Amino acid sequence: MADQTADVELMLQVKEGNRAAFNVLLQRHRMPLINFLYRFTGSRGESEDLAQEVFLKVYQAAGKYEPRAKFTTWLYRIATNVALNDLRNRRPQKISSLDAECDEEFQARRQWTDATPLAEESLIGRERVALIRRAISELPENQRLAVILTKYQELSLKEAGQILKCSETAVKSLLFRAYTTLRHRLVSTVETGIL
């Protein structure tokens, strides 16, 4: 709660022209925002570019900022719009780089663990991460966003609803449909012996 209050105060300072306050917000939210966009786009480089675009829009909108909701809700609403616009602009998308990106993320996460898994466990782990990411990326936009916002960004149903401009009940429905689809796709993958 203190961080949210601090973020609102910082944004109000940005509204008054304080660039140092903007830099603090940028440093505080840059990596979580890139991670959010990465889970949506599947590309680290594109996620960084989109995050830069989001922060540019935040800076440009500073004069109109009104703290009606949590700062992060406002920020992720902007990020969602930027990501959806980008997705619509490049609709025929291939996920060819997704496997390489997943492998990089898997290796980065392993650096933080002490236990070294066997080679087979690493291979299975990478394959599972790639399959899950691919399955999520194939969900309809709103379902994918609902999963990313609640599962990966750990936002509440209410916050996700504000970002997606729908009710908490609608978010629950999106999540139910998304998890049903994911369960079906991933169970069929396991049953066919791929994992």
Side-chain angles (χ1 to χ4, degrees):
M1 187 65 136
D3 284 344
Q4 285 297 324
T5 304
D7 287 343
V8 169
E9 290 299 322
L10 286 167
M11 193 60 203
L12 290 172
Q13 291 175 27
V14 173
K15 183 177 182 175
E16 298 299 319
N18 185 335
R19 288 186 181 194
F22 180 75
N23 286 334
V24 171
L25 285 172
L26 182 108
Q27 292 305 314
R28 185 177 291 173
H29 295 283
R30 182 177 176 273
M31 287 312 297
L33 189 63
I34 289 172
N35 289 334
F36 166 74
L37 293 165
Y38 174 76
R39 287 184 173 96
F40 191 68
T41 65
S43 166
R44 180 63 65 190
E46 186 174 345
S47 299
E48 290 173 358
D49 291 346
L50 291 177
Q52 188 172 7
E53 184 178 337
V54 169
F55 281 112
L56 177 62
K57 289 185 181 295
V58 165
Y59 191 77
Q60 290 170 339
K64 299 174 190 171
Y65 176 74
E66 292 297 326
R68 293 187 191 114
K70 288 182 175 180
F71 173 78
T72 53
T73 301
W74 183 69
L75 177 67
Y76 283 103
R77 179 69 240 163
I78 294 170
T80 299
N81 288 337
V82 167
L84 289 173
N85 288 339
D86 180 68
L87 182 65
R88 288 180 188 119
N89 290 340
R90 59 178 179 88
R91 186 50 94 175
Q93 170 187 344
K94 291 189 178 180
I95 309 174
S96 58
S97 66
L98 187 58
D99 293 332
E101 297 275 349
C102 288
D103 189 49
E104 288 174 21
E105 183 172 308
F106 181 80
Q107 293 302 329
R109 286 185 182 180
R110 277 196 55 220
Q111 293 174 0
W112 296 102
T113 60
D114 293 333
T116 305
L118 300 172
E120 296 86 11
E121 292 171 341
S122 295
L123 180 60
I124 290 170
R126 282 193 301 259
E127 288 177 7
R128 283 186 180 154
V129 168
L131 284 170
I132 291 168
R133 290 207 181 277
R134 190 173 298 118
I136 290 172
S137 72
E138 293 170 354
L139 290 170
E141 287 174 358
N142 279 345
Q143 290 179 26
R144 181 176 355 155
L145 276 169
V147 170
I148 292 169
L149 291 169
T150 58
K151 173 71 176 157
Y152 294 103
Q153 297 305 119
E154 299 178 350
L155 297 179
S156 69
L157 293 173
K158 181 178 180 179
E159 292 168 323
Q162 289 173 336
I163 291 169
L164 295 172
K165 295 184 178 177
C166 63
S167 68
E168 289 180 51
T169 305
V171 174
K172 286 180 187 178
S173 178
L174 289 169
L175 289 170
F176 177 80
R177 291 192 310 254
Y179 288 135
T180 299
T181 301
L182 290 172
R183 196 174 301 114
H184 175 72
R185 286 182 184 163
L186 296 172
V187 166
S188 66
T189 301
V190 171
E191 288 174 353
T192 59
I194 294 176
L195 280 182

